[in-house]
């Protein structure tokens, strides 16, 4: 009897220890490999007071690309689906598009032909779907689309195409005093309506490509109008420029990148599951 | 004896209550007038859960102008002193400036004549002192200057020319879950080296005017070079554009401004003391 009780107690302890260990792992989608270990060690050493690598909380900045880093980018950038679907939605107001490239190809469902026009065609499609409206109107259009549009392969909304291991990493960094940013080639006002809900990243911590805007009064109401003119492309050599413009803390990152070996993470190898619904 | 003890106790209570009341007032430099009351009431209603005006912490954004709002702007913008003093410091490397306006007038100490050239002259002086160096070099120059240059009237360093009531207001808002930003016509990289220490506002929450920068490798080291070309002027109709670009939460502010009476604060009337050293 006594022994049985003891066994029961030991069993209970083991179960509860296992449960709390499971609950306690903030990176549970990650395999217990080198990458996970490097992340945990890095966070420990920069957040431990007195450590030679200590970084005060106000200087703990973590930046993330979006497409292919925080959410999927296959079979093409999700913002490209937005462009093509918006062209189809707007076609009734643009009868001339039936004859005019690259729009005619999009309406025929031939994406490849639409993209054959290169950068110029791309820009024309982007402006036709992103500009000549107020920021508030664009916000509503993006919000509607993101709530309803479905990924062609998985048939899930795009906000379910976010990588679960990265969601865990973002939360883990924030729990350790980091401020998390997105720095992406994607449209800044295309990303901002969703990033807070999906990633826990507020609009002011999202940096992306932008078009110019202009302050105007419309019917006595102050608005910002989106102009069909590129402002900034947050890609390649534009990335450090944008990080400096928005965050103003670039120098240390550049020094670090040069001085230290960085851990390159391939999610396929490092993670147990990629999407939350898997 | 008993009565004496009671009196002592009551006296002690009064003293300690008074002390804690003094310590508890986070806006102690403000007079107990309408403006202070409006601030306290506003903060209370937006931060009280269940209040119809409740704003969740992630959406509590407070923006401040800098010149004439957080620090003084008399007898002229402090950044203008920086420009004139840098021209004098750089003059030995530019013998041609002795004959060339607006530099010649600056070197003679005639600010008025230097400014007679209008916007073009101003831009020329700004570029000669702000561009054609890396962001890191500019950071060092600004940091050195701000640590040593003195205000012509008070003979104090410029970081002591900050308004104490506004420092209290910034801290009060942050203590109530607000994220505080600077949105100023001043140079973004001129402000950023000081704002964290002086105002408790980190670089990524500072928005200002900017010149273009370019990513480059110099001696195998990645740098951003400041180009002699205006990027963005964060003033007048540019302010809402900049707020939207950096913070991405403009619409609500525009609605609010229109829908409600805003309290206009004149520090001379509302505050007991302006500078911390007064």
């Amino acid at each position: 009897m006594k022994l049985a009780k003891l066994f029961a107690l030991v069993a209970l302890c083991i179960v509860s220890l296992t449960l709390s260990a499971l609950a306690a792992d903030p990176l549970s989608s990650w395999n217990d490999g080198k990458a996970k270990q490097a992340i945990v060690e890095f966070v420990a050493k920069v957040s431990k007071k007195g450590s030679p690598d200590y970084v005060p909380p106000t200087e703990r900045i973590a930046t993330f690309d979006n497409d292919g880093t925080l959410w999927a980018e296959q079979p093409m950038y999700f913002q490209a689906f937005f462009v093509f679907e918006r062209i189809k939605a707007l076609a009734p107001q643009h009868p001339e598009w039936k004859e005019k490239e690259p729009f005619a190809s999009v309406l025929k469902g031939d994406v490849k032909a639409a993209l054959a026009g290169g950068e110029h065609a791309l820009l024309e499609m982007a402006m036709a779907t992103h500009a000549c409206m107020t920021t508030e109107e664009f916000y509503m259009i993006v919000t509607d689309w993101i709530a309803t549009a479905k990924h062609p392969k998985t048939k899930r909304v795009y906000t379910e195409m976010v990588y679960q291991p990265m969601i865990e990493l973002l939360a883990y960094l924030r729990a350790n005093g980091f401020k998390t940013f997105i720095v992406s080639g994607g449209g800044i006002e295309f990303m901002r309506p969703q990033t807070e809900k999906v990633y826990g990243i507020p609009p002011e911590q999202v940096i992306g490509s932008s078009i110019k805007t202009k302050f105007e009064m419309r019917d006595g109401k102050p608005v910002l109008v989106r102009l069909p003119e590129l402002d900034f492309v947050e890609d390649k050599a534009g990335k450090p420029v944008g990080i400096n413009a928005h965050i103003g803390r670039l120098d240390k990152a550049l020094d670090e990148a040069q001085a230290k070996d960085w851990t390159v993470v391939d999610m396929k190898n490092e993670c147990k599951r990629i999407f939350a619904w898997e």
Side-chain angles (χ1 to χ4, degrees), chain A:
Chain A
M1 181 82 163
K2 259 191 176 170
L3 205 64
K5 262 190 186 166
L6 188 68
F7 270 117
L9 199 70
V10 168
L12 200 73
C13 280
I14 290 171
V15 168
S16 73
L17 277 173
T18 311
L19 281 175
S20 70
L22 279 175
D25 183 1
L27 299 173
S28 60
S29 296
W30 292 70
N31 294 323
D32 292 316
K34 272 193 182 174
K36 180 172 175 173
Q37 196 186 334
I39 290 168
V40 172
E41 281 172 8
F42 169 78
V43 169
K45 77 179 179 185
V46 300
S47 55
K48 194 185 161 190
K49 266 199 175 169
S51 146
D53 297 297
Y54 179 71
V55 177
T58 52
E59 291 173 22
R60 287 182 210 155
I61 302 283
T63 61
F64 291 83
D65 192 6
N66 190 31
D67 302 299
T69 298
L70 296 183
W71 71 359
E73 60 174 354
Q74 293 300 339
M76 61 180 169
Y77 289 148
F78 296 170
Q79 197 169 356
F81 286 115
F82 171 77
V83 168
F84 297 139
E85 289 170 27
R86 286 301 298 161
I87 287 174
K88 286 174 191 161
L90 291 167
Q93 298 158 48
H94 294 273
E96 76 280 9
W97 282 357
K98 271 186 196 151
E99 313 291 330
K100 195 187 164 200
E101 289 299 350
F103 303 99
S105 291
V106 174
L107 297 178
K108 280 180 221 142
D110 189 347
V111 166
K112 221 174 162 180
L115 293 174
E119 206 169 300
H120 177 76
L122 208 64
L123 202 63
E124 209 176 348
M125 292 188 284
M127 292 310 165
T129 51
H130 286 67
C132 304
M133 64 187 97
T134 68
T135 50
E136 210 168 330
E137 286 160 357
F138 187 67
Y139 176 93
M140 294 308 299
I141 290 168
V142 171
T143 303
D144 279 357
W145 184 81
I146 212 81
T148 54
K150 300 271 168 68
H151 188 273
K153 250 195 180 162
T154 64
K155 308 293 175 201
R156 289 180 177 268
V157 293
Y158 290 102
T159 48
E160 286 189 86
M161 298 301 295
V162 299
Y163 295 142
Q164 179 60 20
M166 299 306 285
I167 301 292
E168 292 171 12
L169 180 55
L170 288 168
Y172 177 63
L173 288 169
R174 286 193 293 263
N176 285 280
F178 279 83
K179 213 165 163 178
T180 52
F181 286 77
I182 291 174
V183 181
S184 165
I188 192 165
E189 298 204 27
F190 176 76
M191 295 185 282
R192 281 177 167 172
Q194 341 144 22
T195 54
E196 185 140 32
K197 220 191 293 176
V198 179
Y199 303 128
I201 298 180
E204 66 272 20
Q205 285 157 227
V206 177
I207 308 170
S209 298
S210 54
I211 60 178
K212 298 209 175 193
T213 64
K214 189 172 165 271
F215 180 78
E216 250 183 57
M217 295 300 290
R218 284 195 176 173
D219 305 322
K221 197 178 172 291
V223 295
L224 284 184
V225 180
R226 293 169 61 78
L227 307 176
E229 191 186 340
L230 270 185
D231 179 38
F232 188 74
V233 178
E234 184 64 45
D235 205 9
K236 303 201 171 70
K239 282 219 173 173
V241 171
I243 291 178
N244 185 61
H246 285 262
I247 313 183
R249 294 190 196 261
L250 186 66
D251 295 326
K252 281 182 195 170
L254 292 178
D255 294 347
E256 285 288 299
Q258 202 185 21
K260 293 182 189 171
D261 287 332
W262 286 28
T263 301
V264 177
V265 175
D266 180 339
M267 263 195 291
K268 245 189 232 161
N269 303 327
E270 303 296 348
C271 301
K272 293 172 202 162
R273 58 170 190 168
I274 303 292
F275 300 109
W277 39 268
E278 277 179 336

